[in-house]
Amino acid sequence: MTDISASSGESAGRSEPLRRIHQLSLWQRIWKNRLLYLLLAPTILGMVVFQYYPALQAFWGSFHSWDGRRARFIGLFNYQFFLEDPRLLQSWANILLLLVFNLISLSFPLMVAYLIYRLPNPRHRYIYRVLVVLPVIAPGFVFIVLWRWLFSLDGGINLILRTLGVDSQVVWLGNSNTALGSLMFMGFPWVEAFTVLIFLAGFIAIPGEMIDAAMVDGATGWQRFRRIELPMVQGQLKVLVILTFIGTVQDFGRALFMTRGGPGFSTMVPGLRMYYAFTQENAYGYASAIGVILFFVILILTLINQRLIRGSED
Amino acid sequence: MKHNTRFTLFSHIILIVLIGIALFQVALLFILSGKSAGEIATNPMLPSLPFRWENFERAWDLGIQNYMGNSIILSLSIVGGDILLSVVTAYVFARYKFPGKGFLFGMVLALMMVPGILTLVPRYLLIRDLKLLDTFWAVILPAVLGSNSFQIIVMRTFFQSLPEELFEAARIDGAGHSQILFKIMLPLSIPIVSSMAILRFNGAWNDLIWPLLVLNRDELRPVSVGLVMLSSGAGAPEIGVQMAGSVIASIPMVVIFIVGMRSFIDGLSAGAIKL
């Protein structure tokens, strides 16, 4: 065996340089590509240092009583403590409601993208596309400031209601019946530029012949949407559903800056519980355990989503 | 055909109402920024005269000036570093074969499934142990190194779609990596690269929780943290001043919108983003 490969390697080496490359040993091939590895090094090392190492440390920390300096192994106690926390049930219920709500509200950008795509005049399509993107000029945190005022006692929403003759004295974010609903309503009508553009790109990519064929077969407008156009943007839908899962399960910014999780626990979410454990209680192990749980929640939701949307393709 | 005209009219109405509400919220920032507290109480939603520019002076002096400078330094460093590394990484993965490529690209892909919330606490401790708390590096380093999976994946997909003959011709002519990258690849990829740059800038400019954690000194804070903190609590200035600060914080994205939105829209419309 060694004889054959050695001799063929040598004879081929003179006549066919390409064949020789395939017979380089692994180390020779790595050495030959050393410049490529060098180009990848900053990204890969960065990922190891700032992502993989912290991720592993979070798993490790979740089994320890950890104040950021000293750690003591306590097994599953952090998980047990979290799962027995009375605040937990409310925070899971809240995240579930937010998740359902955010998924449903994806239908707004879907509708806007579809209506733009169906407009016959290309000039109109272009104008709407620009107008949809225009609100990105105001950064997200600015809307925290705006909506805090809109929801306040003498803020925009109550002022409008009062001009309409309703003597509204509701402190929208300070009432446990309205706080969570208010957080959901924030950002109405939820036509985020990025989402609309992605849907729109999907619709535009549908081959015209496909639509023509369906129309010849006498498909109604609704059938055309439901049977052809919607399935054709499933790839985009899948990405946006996953991004919504990831975004919603992790997000605690709104709750933190709008309501601090209150009043009571009416807007508490697991992510915010983690933030408080971390910043106020120095309970790093406990905070890590919540992070790990949320990681698995996202993972499971994503896998379910992959199955479900793929399944409906048949 | 009659049905179609009616559908078009209906589309226009829905689009104008929905997009109009979104745009009105942006307009409201500007409308409120020109009002005194008393004017807001009597007429909260419509513009009024005189426009109170003193709100802008007040906000500027309350620290927005300094916060804006910090945000610009942070965001530009993050965009520059991130896009440079992402382009180089995507280029290598898109155009070359080498041992371990599958594994290394798997490392990039897998990070899409690692949520920021999982790594938040250890990342903070890492920055603390590197003695980088209360420095700009605390924000820049984790944003540039290792959090660019999405950009790499999108750009790689695009780079792969370019015809191989271009690259082969260049290599035969003896072009090195930097020439291939900057003279052939980038000019062909301007829409997708600038889309990613704009998205990244927007993300960096908007980032709130991480800078809040790692920057305790007020003079280092970006405008996201500065403005939200300024408008919180009992000592907050009146709404007009808060909104003036919000309008100032929007200026960079306005500039980017005017300069680069066309290529941004085209890049995202190219349809590279799906599973």
Side-chain angles (χ1 to χ4, degrees):
Chain A
M1 278 300 277
T2 42
D3 255 25
I4 296 167
S5 66
S7 62
S8 73
E10 209 146 285
S11 61
R14 290 191 198 101
S15 53
E16 295 173 57
L18 273 179
R19 283 238 342 245
R20 231 186 108 185
I21 291 171
H22 290 294
Q23 284 160 6
L24 292 174
S25 75
L26 180 64
W27 292 113
Q28 283 170 312
R29 278 190 293 150
I30 291 177
W31 179 248
K32 192 179 149 286
N33 287 309
R34 60 195 180 277
L35 190 56
L36 296 178
Y37 296 108
L38 205 65
L39 290 174
L40 290 183
T43 296
I44 298 293
L45 289 179
M47 287 179 172
V48 170
V49 173
F50 287 103
Q51 298 287 336
Y52 282 105
Y53 168 66
L56 291 177
Q57 201 180 20
F59 278 93
W60 172 86
S62 71
F63 299 113
H64 291 77
S65 167
W66 184 27
D67 65 359
R69 306 204 183 268
R70 266 167 306 179
R72 188 167 50 84
F73 183 77
I74 52 169
L76 290 170
F77 183 78
N78 285 324
Y79 292 95
Q80 192 192 345
F81 189 67
F82 180 65
L83 296 171
E84 284 170 1
D85 190 327
R87 287 166 285 197
L88 175 81
L89 210 59
Q90 178 82 56
S91 69
W92 284 118
N94 290 342
I95 206 96
L96 194 67
L97 283 171
L98 286 166
L99 208 51
V100 170
F101 177 81
N102 288 346
L103 286 177
I104 292 172
S105 65
L106 270 182
S107 57
F108 281 77
L110 178 69
M111 177 169 69
V112 166
Y114 185 67
L115 295 181
I116 294 177
Y117 151 74
R118 286 292 303 272
L119 287 176
N121 184 333
R123 178 129 199 94
H124 293 166
R125 286 201 295 267
Y126 187 74
I127 292 171
Y128 280 120
R129 225 156 50 142
V130 172
L131 290 179
V132 161
V133 180
L134 191 58
V136 302
I137 59 174
F141 57 85
V142 157
F143 291 103
I144 291 177
V145 181
L146 178 69
W147 282 87
R148 276 207 293 221
W149 171 74
L150 283 171
F151 285 134
S152 65
L153 176 60
D154 291 316
I157 290 176
N158 283 343
L159 287 174
I160 293 174
L161 288 173
R162 283 171 209 168
T163 26
L164 294 175
V166 186
D167 183 30
S168 174
Q169 300 291 337
V170 183
V171 185
W172 297 94
L173 296 174
N175 181 325
S176 53
N177 294 321
T178 54
L180 190 68
S182 301
L183 288 193
M184 289 173 178
F185 189 72
M186 199 185 150
F188 176 81
W190 314 291
V191 282
E192 212 229 329
F194 181 72
T195 317
V196 175
L197 287 184
I198 289 178
F199 276 133
L200 194 54
F203 283 126
I204 290 170
I206 299 174
E209 306 89 63
M210 233 170 138
I211 309 286
D212 295 341
M215 296 318 274
V216 169
D217 289 348
T220 64
W222 174 249
Q223 283 171 335
R224 169 182 168 177
F225 175 71
R226 181 66 194 84
R227 305 234 172 260
I228 302 167
E229 287 156 330
L230 192 59
M232 288 299 283
V233 296
Q234 239 172 35
Q236 282 80 4
L237 187 63
K238 214 188 261 185
V239 174
L240 291 167
V241 167
I242 292 176
L243 290 178
T244 304
F245 281 153
I246 297 176
T248 308
V249 172
Q250 303 196 66
D251 178 43
F252 58 88
R254 256 186 213 187
L256 173 62
F257 294 111
M258 302 291 289
T259 60
R260 310 227 132 241
F265 302 114
S266 59
T267 54
M268 182 56 82
V269 288
L272 186 58
R273 184 73 201 91
M274 186 201 97
Y275 182 80
Y276 284 152
F278 168 40
T279 56
Q280 296 179 355
E281 299 156 25
N282 278 349
Y284 294 0
Y286 180 49
S288 298
I290 301 177
V292 170
I293 291 173
L294 293 178
F295 164 68
F296 280 113
V297 169
I298 291 173
L299 193 67
I300 291 166
L301 286 176
T302 308
L303 293 177
I304 293 175
N305 172 55
Q306 294 284 61
R307 278 281 160 78
L308 276 186
I309 298 194
R310 190 174 296 159
S312 68
E313 244 166 26
D314 312 321
Chain B
M1 280 304 105
K2 194 168 174 229
H3 174 80
N4 268 342
T5 8
R6 231 188 297 150
F7 181 76
T8 305
L9 182 69
F10 164 82
S11 304
H12 278 296
I13 294 171
I14 302 265
L15 288 172
I16 288 169
V17 169
L18 287 180
I19 299 173
I21 294 171
L23 285 172
F24 178 70
Q25 291 173 35
V26 180
L28 193 56
L29 298 170
F30 193 69
I31 292 170
L32 290 169
S33 71
K35 287 173 183 277
S36 68
E39 285 159 353
I40 289 173
T42 52
N43 171 16
M45 297 289 164
L46 297 173
S48 61
L49 289 172
F51 193 89
R52 307 207 178 264
W53 290 105
E54 58 265 32
N55 286 343
F56 284 78
E57 280 169 52
R58 188 76 208 294
W60 190 249
D61 293 338
L62 277 171
I64 297 292
Q65 179 183 16
N66 187 30
Y67 299 143
M68 285 295 283
N70 295 338
S71 272
I72 289 170
I73 295 172
L74 289 172
S75 303
L76 288 182
S77 316
I78 290 172
V79 173
D82 180 317
I83 296 300
L84 181 70
L85 285 183
S86 303
V87 165
V88 171
T89 309
Y91 161 73
V92 172
F93 280 128
R95 312 284 346 175
Y96 293 93
K97 282 197 182 115
F98 49 88
K101 175 178 168 176
F103 175 77
L104 292 174
F105 192 65
M107 278 181 74
V108 174
L109 269 180
L111 277 190
M112 292 294 283
M113 281 316 300
V114 176
I117 202 159
L118 174 69
T119 54
L120 186 76
V121 175
R123 222 175 336 129
Y124 172 86
L125 293 174
L126 180 65
I127 292 295
R128 184 198 68 185
D129 293 341
L130 293 171
K131 304 266 183 283
L132 293 176
L133 287 181
D134 274 325
T135 68
F136 281 166
W137 292 114
V139 177
I140 296 171
L141 280 185
V144 168
L145 295 169
S147 57
N148 53 351
S149 288
F150 177 73
Q151 293 89 303
I152 293 172
I153 293 165
V154 171
M155 289 193 220
R156 186 192 81 122
T157 310
F158 185 84
F159 292 169
Q160 274 177 335
S161 71
L162 298 173
E164 176 64 22
E165 295 83 53
L166 274 176
F167 297 91
E168 231 173 287
R171 268 183 232 120
I172 289 168
D173 291 345
H177 287 297
S178 64
Q179 279 172 304
I180 294 178
L181 239 175
F182 293 108
K183 296 230 171 99
I184 299 176
M185 193 87 120
L186 276 187
L188 291 171
S189 318
I190 285 171
I192 196 82
V193 173
S194 45
S195 293
M196 290 299 114
I198 292 175
L199 268 184
R200 195 67 192 91
F201 183 90
N202 196 37
W205 191 266
N206 269 300
D207 199 8
L208 187 52
I209 287 170
W210 181 253
L212 175 69
L213 275 174
V214 295
L215 301 175
N216 269 316
R217 275 163 51 204
D218 187 60
E219 66 266 29
L220 293 176
R221 284 181 164 161
V223 71
S224 53
V225 180
L227 186 72
V228 170
M229 290 289 117
L230 194 66
S231 69
S232 310
E238 59 184 76
I239 302 303
V241 177
Q242 295 181 22
M243 290 301 140
S246 302
V247 171
I248 297 173
S250 307
I251 292 172
M253 280 309 290
V254 173
V255 174
I256 288 175
F257 190 89
I258 293 166
V259 177
M261 203 42 69
R262 190 151 192 164
S263 62
F264 176 72
I265 295 176
D266 292 347
L268 281 189
S269 306
I273 298 159
K274 62 177 176 187
L275 278 182

